[in-house]
Amino acid sequence: MKKILLTFFIILFCPLNILAYSKNVIPGGESIGIKIESDGLIVVGFYKVNGEYIASDNIRIGDNITHINNKRVYSINELTNVIDKSNTSEVDIKLIRNNKEVNTKLRLVEENNLLKTGLYVKDNVVGLGTLTYIDPVTKIWGALGHEILLSETNSRIEVKDGNILMSKVTSINKSRNGHVGSKNANISFNKKIGTIDKNTVNGIYGTYTSSLPEKDLIMVADFDEIKKTEAYIYTVTSNNAIKKYKIKILDKYPNKKNTTKAISFEIVDKDLINKTGGIVQGMSGSPIIQDNKLVGAVTNVLVDNVTLGYGILISTMLETGES
């Protein structure tokens, strides 16, 4: 079946990191807006200047531009200001490509009395997801259960700064076999509830800065406690009301305990299927609950059968959040 990713001390003076996450956490389920400012400018495409692609010879899609003429740049405005003040036909560029630093040149060409670079770049990403948990002791939160990739480059965005924000789901574009739908939401950009500190293969993580939700704590499940039987996911399908929907855990995979596909499940709740058709984008991070314990979070969907999906273990997310 075709799959798609939709759409966190020892004596003798030897340092050792010990991951001591809480065994009881605040369960999520809230729909959250996500805004990340990248650590540099990401090249997402090229355009012609005077009929010529002037930048494609030495710059590639996915490159992360960090310096222009030795000046650190984080935003499109900063890039534009440096270029406007350069008074030259080319500038020095420092960029990151495949985790390696590259120094090159960028040619500038005047068109309609404006200096053009021939580059399309991005300096931030805005999206929607679901909060998985908050650690009440450290206030570390985790969401999504998988990394955020730029759609244009399929590369992970490195975080300079970011926030999670309050949001309300306004409608659902339903999933159907062969097509993954999505949640649509209004994001309140002036209502920040947490910082985003890192974007990892196991989700996004940060510090919760708002008042902690008034919810009962839930125990964290061990891998051996997960059963191939009924469970629930917590998610929002309308406004900001968290509801629980029935699923069935089909299998768990010991050799994939630290991946985003450690468990497989099927949505069996008719109400959820009527509302969404199955798993939709924006559902990533929805907590999976079994026997009143937090098992993990929704991560992936099978495109050929959108009621089937995968999840990451909560222990993996907690370890990633603490590391």
Side-chain angles (χ1 to χ4, degrees), residues 10 19 45 52 96 108 171 182 193 197 227 239 284-285 289 291 301:
I10 192 171
L19 302 175
E52 178 187 2
I96 305 298
L108 307 175
S171 63
S182 61
I193 56 176
D197 301 328
K227 305 182 186 77
N239 206 345
S284 291
I289 312 296
D291 295 334
V301 61

Side-chain angles (χ1 to χ4, degrees), residues 118-284:
L119 296 175
Y120 289 118
V121 296
K122 227 176 205 184
D123 59 10
N124 69 76
V125 170
V126 175
L128 188 72
T130 301
L131 184 70
T132 305
Y133 73 90
I134 307 169
D135 187 319
V137 177
T138 64
K139 291 196 173 182
I140 293 172
W141 60 264
L144 297 190
H146 61 71
E147 62 194 339
I148 295 178
L149 299 174
L150 282 173
S151 58
E152 299 90 344
T153 65
N154 203 37
S155 60
R156 185 164 76 240
I157 184 168
E158 297 298 329
V159 178
K160 170 184 171 283
D161 193 13
N163 291 282
I164 53 171
L165 313 148
M166 293 184 65
S167 74
K168 292 183 179 180
V169 175
T170 55
S171 63
I172 303 282
N173 296 328
K174 286 187 176 183
S175 288
R176 60 182 185 276
N177 292 344
H179 172 77
V180 180
S182 61
K183 294 183 183 183
N184 303 309
N186 289 331
I187 298 173
S188 300
F189 289 96
N190 62 336
K191 294 183 179 179
K192 301 174 183 178
I193 56 176
T195 62
I196 299 175
D197 301 328
K198 53 188 176 183
N199 174 25
T200 79
V201 292
N202 293 326
I204 60 172
Y205 301 87
T207 302
Y208 203 81
T209 55
S210 187
S211 300
L212 292 177
E214 294 182 0
K215 297 181 183 179
D216 291 335
L217 300 184
I218 189 168
M219 289 186 66
V220 172
D222 293 328
F223 183 77
D224 292 341
E225 296 178 293
I226 302 172
K227 305 182 186 77
K228 300 176 188 178
T229 185
E230 179 181 290
Y232 295 89
I233 63 171
Y234 291 178
T235 201
V236 174
T237 54
S238 179
N239 206 345
N240 53 13
I242 302 171
K243 292 190 176 182
K244 72 175 188 178
Y245 297 99
K246 189 181 296 185
I247 65 170
K248 181 180 180 182
I249 293 179
L250 302 175
D251 211 344
K252 58 181 183 178
Y253 309 100
N255 61 329
K256 295 183 178 180
K257 284 175 68 174
N258 297 318
T259 74
T260 61
K261 297 180 180 179
I263 55 178
S264 58
F265 66 89
E266 178 183 12
I267 293 176
V268 295
D269 195 296
K270 291 183 179 179
D271 184 32
L272 183 59
I273 291 173
N274 287 336
K275 289 177 178 177
T276 65
I279 301 168
V280 296
Q281 295 181 59
M283 200 178 282
S284 291

Side-chain angles (χ1 to χ4, degrees), residues 6-22:
L6 277 175
T7 53
F8 12 182
F9 304 96
I10 192 171
I11 16 185
L12 303 180
F13 305 102
C14 297
L16 176 67
N17 292 324
I18 298 176
L19 302 175
Y21 56 78
S22 299

